[in-house]
Amino acid sequence: MAAELVGVARVVSDSPWLGKEVTDHLGRPAIVRRVYDVNGQHTAVLTSSLPAIDGGEAISGEHVDLLSTGGNAPVFPGYQDKLSELADLESTLHSGGATEEDALQFRAAHQALKPYQQAEYHLRQALIDQAEPGDRVYLTGKDWYGTVADIDDDPLHDLPRMALRIRLDDSVLNEKPHLLERHPEGTIELTTLMMWPTLGLI
């Protein structure tokens, strides 16, 4: 079940991050609305004050150690630069000209970044695995909203849930009439990889 594959999302109701205005690792302003503990990692649910047209996301998640606030730097600074360094090391390994030192550096960098790379995914998936029909969801990247139509509880379908049937909002269907042509009821099976439950926040 979900607890075995991803983890259980537990609310951290006394987190000092709650309600804070922060900046995520991409430099986007946001507000911390929830904090969860998943596998020992504290991850924040953020709502953005930046419009989607400018790269903001109505709801997103990030490990609290990557957040900065006021004049305070994040606990784990330079995350984006470290990701680029990791990608360069991986490219070197695949090029065939890597040294043993390159391989050691890659493994060390990968282990150091792993909790931060996985935090958002683990939280989002843990919450999606708890979704019920009628729950509202937000699709990042597309800036779409919809409602969970039904849940396939077939035990042969493993968790984590990788897709859900979503009834898209009328506002989305009005903007994308071709979707309604293909799906007259406005209900579409969509990947959960870019999906967030709105948690009543938006």
Side-chain angles (χ1 to χ4, degrees):
M1 297 300 288
E4 299 170 340
L5 296 176
V6 175
V8 176
R10 297 182 177 87
V11 174
V12 183
S13 58
D14 58 350
S15 172
W17 287 97
L18 290 170
K20 283 192 175 182
E21 295 183 1
V22 299
T23 301
D24 69 11
H25 80 275
L26 293 174
R28 301 176 299 187
I31 298 174
V32 177
R33 304 297 298 276
R34 299 274 194 281
V35 176
Y36 289 88
D37 182 315
V38 184
N39 303 330
Q41 303 295 325
H42 283 203
T43 306
V45 174
L46 310 172
T47 54
S48 178
S49 55
L50 192 67
I53 194 172
D54 295 324
E57 292 176 353
I59 192 166
S60 60
E62 187 149 293
H63 197 294
V64 296
D65 286 356
L66 303 181
L67 301 175
S68 58
T69 179
N72 298 319
V75 172
F76 191 81
Y79 177 63
Q80 196 63 32
D81 291 338
K82 290 180 174 67
L83 284 178
S84 297
E85 292 169 7
L86 181 67
D88 290 343
L89 286 168
E90 186 173 19
S91 178
T92 300
L93 290 178
H94 289 310
S95 71
T99 65
E100 184 176 345
E101 183 178 351
D102 290 329
L104 290 173
Q105 288 181 350
F106 174 80
R107 284 195 289 271
H110 176 70
Q111 285 302 114
L113 294 176
K114 187 176 180 179
Y116 306 105
Q117 289 180 294
Q118 293 184 345
E120 182 269 351
Y121 167 76
H122 282 170
L123 173 58
R124 181 172 43 76
Q125 201 64 58
L127 295 173
I128 286 293
D129 286 347
Q130 297 167 18
E132 298 179 355
D135 285 355
R136 300 278 294 154
V137 295
Y138 170 71
L139 286 96
T140 63
K142 295 182 178 296
D143 202 36
W144 290 357
Y145 293 88
T147 303
V148 177
D150 51 56
I151 299 292
D152 185 353
D153 286 326
D154 188 334
L156 296 179
H157 293 177
D158 292 335
L159 291 174
R161 293 175 178 144
M162 300 310 295
L164 284 176
R165 283 172 44 81
I166 303 297
R167 202 309 178 167
L168 295 173
D169 283 6
D170 289 342
S171 58
V172 176
L173 297 172
N174 290 337
E175 291 181 5
K176 307 289 182 181
H178 66 281
L179 293 176
L180 201 54
E181 291 174 5
R182 298 176 187 172
H183 309 276
E185 296 181 357
T187 300
I188 306 176
E189 186 170 284
L190 296 169
T191 176
T192 61
L193 293 177
M194 301 291 284
M195 189 182 296
W196 269 97
T198 64
L199 305 172
L201 300 175
I202 52 177

